[in-house]
């Protein structure tokens, strides 16, 4: 299986996730990389994974993805605040870190389709906890040869997230609210991918499915880039010395972002600890504590909805690694997860998890973190990033580890204005969503992002709703089959 085929297919035939056979070391030193732009770094990193893309193809994809859609030339600026380095991954068109991968995925996918002589129209099926959906539609809107259908939990996303999605333009974009939670949406999408009958019906009508979720390896690879870039930039600005180990803290849901950091380490970036931050859906924290992954628990709706997830799909790729790249062990655990909702790793595998630290932030701690960092520094965090900042503080207290730490800042506070403003001061709660936007701009001294200005007056273009069971029916209706 080539990289381009894996990107096209999304998920393997047996339902497993694609992983790289092996990970080479970076071909250049981090000092050399520190002189490069984001786009140049992206090429050096991505070519290690996407081995069947030509230089020309890959550079074409990169230059079309990381362009003026980002509101800063640096693409991912690093802000130092409260003793940590916030890697701002939210300067793309939908102001969440999903743009980092989803602005390039459509180019990777259409290039892959061309390389593999695909004639069918590609139907992107996506489940979203709020951010992926919008970022994927923004990426795929009006891309010839593709359609995109997004499922989101009707009552599980922020008002701004929902408005962003239902106002999406493009003749090939479809948005469906489901009466269920994110896991229901994700499970429903996975089922359709594995449905052989449905695949036949699609084929006959000239369609094939692919995925824009982080189960697609084409989502993961572009995310490795910014960890390499961040290290190189800290080196360039003299914040760290050559070879100095840094820690990385990531607010985690589906485990894609933190796994990308893990891959960056395998390429040679000196990373000490991977600090995995969860909200009250703390299934990963429990996993790191006990070695038992157990999704059988109440699903919590929190102020960091993009992390409201009980099945972290990409953990499968880490399990494979810590099982010594043993696909059979991995399969047994994933089957157990599918059947009983849990699995337990061996003592030996647990030993391979020592670079990871997991903890979580309660709703109250998350709000307190936003307020404290704002009051101390003037810097305003979104709710997801605040979960990470809070967990980082817990880690520091527990281990007295003073290593420099990069915190993945995954969303603009403008995307979660109400929760953010309420955390800063409850008196703001009487304001409307857009009054809050203006107030946030004023107190943070940050311009309202274009992504928010755009939806102030945009008309609602999508109003489909269905149950989780009816997802296949809805897809067929959309495709007219
Ligand atoms: C998707 C998302 C996350 C979780 O990232 P994963 O790769 O799924 O772990 C965290 N924060 C924000 C804002 C997100 O959109």
């Amino acid at each position: 299986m080539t990289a381009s085929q894996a990107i096209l297919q999304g998920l393997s035939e047996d339902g497993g996730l694609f992983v790289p056979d092996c990970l080479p070391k970076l071909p250049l030193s981090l000092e050399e990389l520190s002189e490069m732009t984001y786009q140049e770094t992206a090429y050096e990193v991505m070519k290690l994974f996407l081995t069947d893309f030509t230089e020309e193809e890959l550079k074409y994809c990169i230059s079309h993805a990381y362009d003026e859609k980002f509101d800063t030339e640096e693409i991912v600026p690093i802000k130092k605040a409260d003793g940590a380095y916030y890697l701002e991954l939210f300067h793309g068109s939908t102001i969440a870190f999903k743009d980092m991968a989803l602005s390039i995925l459509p180019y990777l996918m259409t290039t892959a389709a061309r390389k593999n002589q695909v004639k069918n129209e590609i139907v992107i099926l996506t489940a979203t906890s709020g951010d992926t959906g919008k970022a994927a539609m923004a990426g795929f809107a009006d891309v010839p040869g593709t359609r995109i259908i997004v499922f989101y939990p009707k009552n599980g996303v922020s008002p701004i997230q929902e408005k962003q999605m239902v106002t999406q333009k493009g003749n090939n974009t479809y948005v469906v609210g489901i009466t269920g939670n994110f896991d229901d949406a994700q499970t429903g999408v996975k089922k359709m991918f594995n449905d052989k009958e449905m695949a036949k019906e699609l084929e006959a009508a000239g369609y094939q499915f692919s995925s824009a979720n982080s189960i697609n390896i084409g989502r993961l690879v572009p995310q490795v880039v910014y960890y390499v870039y961040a290290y190189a930039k800290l080196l360039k600005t003299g914040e760290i010395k050559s070879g100095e180990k840094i820690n990385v803290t990531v607010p985690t849901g589906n485990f894609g972002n933190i796994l990308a950091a893990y891959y960056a380490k395998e390429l040679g970036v000196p990373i000490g600890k991977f600090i995995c931050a969860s909200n009250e859906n703390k299934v990963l924290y429990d996993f790191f504590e006990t070695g038992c992954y157990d999704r059988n628990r109440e699903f919590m709706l929190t102020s960091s909805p993009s992390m409201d997830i009980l099945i972290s799909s990409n953990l499968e790729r880490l399990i494979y690694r810590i099982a010594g790249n043993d696909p059979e062990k991995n399969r047994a655990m994933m089957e157990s997860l599918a059947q009983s909702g849990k699995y337990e790793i061996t003592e030996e595998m647990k030993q391979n998890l020592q670079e990871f630290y997991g903890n979580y932030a309660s709703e109250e701690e998350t709000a307190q973190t936003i307020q404290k960092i704002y009051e101390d520094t003037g810097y305003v965090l979104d709710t997801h990033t605040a979960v990470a900042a809070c967990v980082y503080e817990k880690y520091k207290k527990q281990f007295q580890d003073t290593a420099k730490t990069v915190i993945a800042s995954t969303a603009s506070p403008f995307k979660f204005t109400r929760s953010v403003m309420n955390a800063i001061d409850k008196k703001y709660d009487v304001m409307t969503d857009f009054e809050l936007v203006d107030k946030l701009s004023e107190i943070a001294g940050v311009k309202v992002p274009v992504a928010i200005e755009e939806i102030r007056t945009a008309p609602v273009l999508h109003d489909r709703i269905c149950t989780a069971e009816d997802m296949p029916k809805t897809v067929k209706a959309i495709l007219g089959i």
Side-chain angles (χ1 to χ4, degrees), residues 6-7 9-12 15-19 125-127 186 189-190 193 210-220 254 256 311-317:
I7 289 173
Q9 206 175 307
L11 204 62
S12 82
L17 306 192
F18 292 117
V19 289
L125 280 191
T126 293
Q186 176 156 271
V189 164
K190 263 195 157 180
F193 279 126
S210 191
S211 164
N213 278 104
S214 57
I215 53 173
N216 193 317
I217 193 76
R219 266 282 297 279
L220 209 53
N254 235 340
I311 307 175
S312 294
S313 312
N314 274 292
L315 190 62
E316 176 177 337
R317 290 184 164 116

Side-chain angles (χ1 to χ4, degrees), residues 96-98 131 251-257 306-307 382 384 410-411 416:
F97 98 98
K98 303 292 195 295
D131 289 331
T252 297
N254 235 340
F255 210 76
N257 202 3
S306 305
M307 295 157 64
D382 99 284
H384 304 73
T410 50
F416 303 95

Side-chain angles (χ1 to χ4, degrees), residues 188-426:
V189 164
K190 263 195 157 180
K191 267 197 196 136
M192 283 190 270
F193 279 126
N194 289 331
D195 185 338
K196 302 263 162 17
E197 278 307 306
M198 198 165 176
K200 268 190 220 148
E201 285 177 64
L202 264 104
E203 177 72 34
Y207 296 112
Q208 70 187 61
F209 283 144
S210 191
S211 164
N213 278 104
S214 57
I215 53 173
N216 193 317
I217 193 76
R219 266 282 297 279
L220 209 53
V221 170
Q223 296 183 352
V224 180
V225 175
Y226 47 75
Y227 291 106
V228 176
Y229 182 78
Y231 189 92
K233 281 298 160 280
L234 290 178
L235 202 55
K236 186 178 166 70
T237 51
E239 298 288 341
I240 53 173
K241 290 195 273 306
S242 182
E244 184 174 340
K245 274 195 180 170
I246 62 165
N247 294 330
V248 168
T249 306
V250 185
T252 297
N254 235 340
F255 210 76
N257 202 3
I258 195 165
L259 185 75
Y262 182 77
Y263 281 175
K265 178 171 184 174
E266 303 216 326
L267 300 183
V269 178
I271 299 176
K273 281 279 180 200
F274 300 94
I275 301 167
C276 176
S278 301
N279 64 21
E280 289 179 355
N281 293 291
K282 59 183 184 60
V283 66
L284 286 165
Y285 164 66
D286 294 340
F287 170 69
F288 287 120
E289 285 291 291
T290 64
C292 178
Y293 191 94
D294 187 357
R295 62 147 302 183
N296 301 302
R297 61 183 74 204
E298 196 190 339
F299 185 98
M300 314 289 262
L301 289 175
T302 73
S303 59
S304 45
S306 305
M307 295 157 64
D308 289 347
I309 289 173
L310 292 178
I311 307 175
S312 294
S313 312
N314 274 292
L315 190 62
E316 176 177 337
R317 290 184 164 116
L318 181 67
I319 296 295
Y320 170 75
R321 269 280 188 281
I322 61 171
N325 295 345
D326 182 338
E328 284 316 315
K329 265 194 202 155
N330 192 40
R331 177 199 299 272
M333 289 181 186
M334 293 309 126
E335 271 171 9
S336 163
L337 179 64
Q339 265 145 36
S340 65
K342 60 179 177 185
Y343 58 87
E344 187 144 14
I345 60 172
T346 63
E347 235 355 271
E348 199 186 344
M349 288 166 74
K350 226 178 145 193
Q351 287 307 313
N352 293 336
L353 276 183
Q354 292 190 358
E355 301 147 286
F356 284 84
Y357 167 86
N359 212 327
Y360 73 103
S362 68
E363 285 294 275
E364 200 182 333
E365 288 170 327
T366 304
Q368 281 165 355
T369 303
I370 293 173
Q371 188 192 40
K372 179 171 184 308
I373 294 188
Y374 171 67
E375 279 176 3
D376 292 353
T377 70
Y379 189 58
V380 180
L381 304 181
D382 99 284
T383 44
H384 304 73
T385 310
V387 167
C390 175
V391 167
Y392 170 55
E393 279 306 315
K394 290 186 181 181
Y395 169 78
K396 259 200 315 198
K397 268 216 188 92
Q398 199 173 335
F399 292 96
Q400 312 292 322
D401 181 354
T402 55
K404 308 260 165 54
T405 296
V406 166
I407 297 180
S409 181
T410 50
S412 158
F414 285 96
K415 208 157 183 174
F416 303 95
T417 354
R418 184 164 301 278
S419 304
V420 168
M421 292 302 279
N422 269 342
I424 290 173
D425 195 328
K426 291 223 162 46

Side-chain angles (χ1 to χ4, degrees), residues 39-114:
Q39 294 79 357
E40 289 163 347
T41 311
Y43 175 70
E44 294 303 329
V45 173
M46 290 178 66
K47 75 176 187 194
L48 303 176
F49 294 89
L50 307 183
T51 47
D52 71 321
F53 283 67
T54 65
E55 176 171 352
E56 193 190 348
E57 285 168 342
L58 199 47
K59 286 189 170 165
Y60 165 84
C61 295
I62 290 167
S63 65
H64 283 76
Y66 305 112
D67 60 7
E68 304 77 56
K69 286 192 285 298
F70 286 78
D71 66 8
T72 156
E73 250 175 55
E74 296 169 278
I75 306 293
V76 289
I78 301 175
K79 300 273 166 69
K80 193 172 178 179
D82 201 37
Y85 299 90
Y86 287 89
L87 179 63
E88 293 190 348
L89 303 173
F90 55 77
H91 289 269
S93 51
T94 75
I95 61 174
F97 98 98
K98 303 292 195 295
D99 290 324
M100 298 311 302
L102 286 165
S103 49
I104 194 165
L105 187 66
Y107 292 99
L108 297 176
M109 199 162 295
T110 47
T111 304
R114 213 174 317 116

Side-chain angles (χ1 to χ4, degrees), residues 465-478:
I465 294 176
C466 77
T467 60
E469 293 73 52
D470 280 344
M471 286 167 63
K473 235 197 254 163
T474 306
V475 168
K476 287 188 199 173
I478 287 171

